[in-house]
Amino acid sequence: MGVLSPIGQGVEAFWSSLLNGVSGITSIERFPTHDLRVRRGGEIKQTPDTPGLERPLPACRASQFLIHAATEATRMARLSEAAATRRVAVVIGSALGGIAEAERWHDQSGDLHALAGAPYDGPTRQLANWLKATGPVLTISTACASGATSLGVGADLLRAGAATAVVAGGVDVLCRFVMRGFNHLRSLTRDEVRPFDRRRKGLLLGEGAGLVVLERAQTARQRGIT
């Protein structure tokens, strides 16, 4: 598993933050929020230095999140050791895809790198290129269930024999487009998020990526994974 989130970089830090009740909600700093009713969210302030990244990262923020999470996940699964002989698929769930890059291109119309990452499946394709994946490459959108749906689709690919391993999970980033939409809906809270409390007043948005490596148990055991 690989994780990049506002409350911990990496699986161990993320899990420790969850156990200790650490909140990743802060004031949003990356884009203007002066005209928004709610100006807080789970923003990743700085992407960490991840060992093993020998190539420069793409400019697309969602792609960066995916690559950091995938690097951790494939390293833990020891997938890179046998990647050359395996058909790896990539299945990513996302509610927004590359919309943040489309927003960046709109603000800086001369930035063709932003335009390249703007299609909905842009971050997924950039991750697949980074991993040199030779299996199916799919982007799933089922709103808030996108990441979970990607795991089911990844399992289906394994059962069908379409891939020997699948890098699957979800990613989304904060941007003005989505913040303005939720502000207009009045669904964001100025208070703390309390989903199981009768006093709850709404939700707050965040960003991050979480990926796992899926493969058949027999295939994993052949590589010494138990």
Side-chain angles (χ1 to χ4, degrees):
M1 181 178 183
V3 172
L4 180 66
S5 80
I7 65 169
Q9 317 299 356
V11 172
E12 292 184 2
F14 178 76
W15 183 245
S16 175
S17 297
L18 287 179
L19 293 179
N20 290 286
V22 177
S23 173
I25 301 301
T26 59
S27 296
I28 295 173
E29 302 174 356
R30 203 176 71 257
F31 51 82
T33 59
H34 61 278
D35 56 341
L36 301 179
R37 174 176 171 270
V38 177
R39 305 170 186 177
R40 300 184 304 140
E43 181 182 54
I44 295 176
K45 304 301 183 185
Q46 183 177 1
T47 53
D49 294 328
T50 299
L53 297 185
E54 299 176 354
R55 289 170 285 164
L57 290 171
C60 172
R61 186 174 177 83
S63 300
Q64 291 178 10
F65 289 179
L66 286 174
I67 289 170
H68 279 288
T71 299
E72 183 179 26
T74 55
R75 182 173 61 244
M76 293 178 68
R78 301 208 293 270
L79 184 64
S80 58
E81 300 172 8
T85 61
R86 300 170 63 78
R87 191 168 187 225
V88 178
V90 177
V91 185
I92 302 300
S94 180
L96 296 170
I99 190 65
E101 290 302 289
E103 186 175 86
R104 185 161 70 90
W105 178 78
H106 181 270
D107 295 336
Q108 306 172 20
S109 56
D111 190 345
L112 295 181
H113 292 292
L115 184 59
Y120 185 80
D121 64 342
T124 305
R125 288 188 290 102
Q126 290 193 347
L127 174 62
N129 290 336
W130 182 277
L131 295 174
K132 299 180 181 178
T134 58
V137 177
L138 303 172
T139 302
I140 307 296
S141 178
T142 50
C144 296
S146 299
T149 305
S150 77
L151 301 183
V153 172
D156 288 341
L157 291 176
L158 290 176
R159 294 189 189 100
T164 54
V166 183
V167 177
V171 66
D172 267 308
V173 300
L174 286 171
C175 62
R176 274 184 58 82
F177 174 83
V178 67
M179 286 294 295
R180 284 177 62 88
F182 276 85
N183 265 268
H184 282 300
L185 290 172
R186 296 272 177 163
S187 58
L188 300 181
T189 180
R190 290 172 172 165
D191 199 354
E192 298 302 319
V193 178
R194 297 191 294 267
F196 306 109
D197 194 313
R198 290 184 178 180
R199 298 169 297 168
R200 62 187 181 275
K201 297 179 181 178
L203 56 88
L204 287 173
L205 302 177
E207 61 183 0
L211 300 176
V212 297
V213 174
L214 302 175
E215 58 183 329
R216 289 182 175 275
Q218 181 180 357
T219 306
R221 284 195 292 267
Q222 290 173 351
R223 297 192 296 110
I225 304 295
T226 59

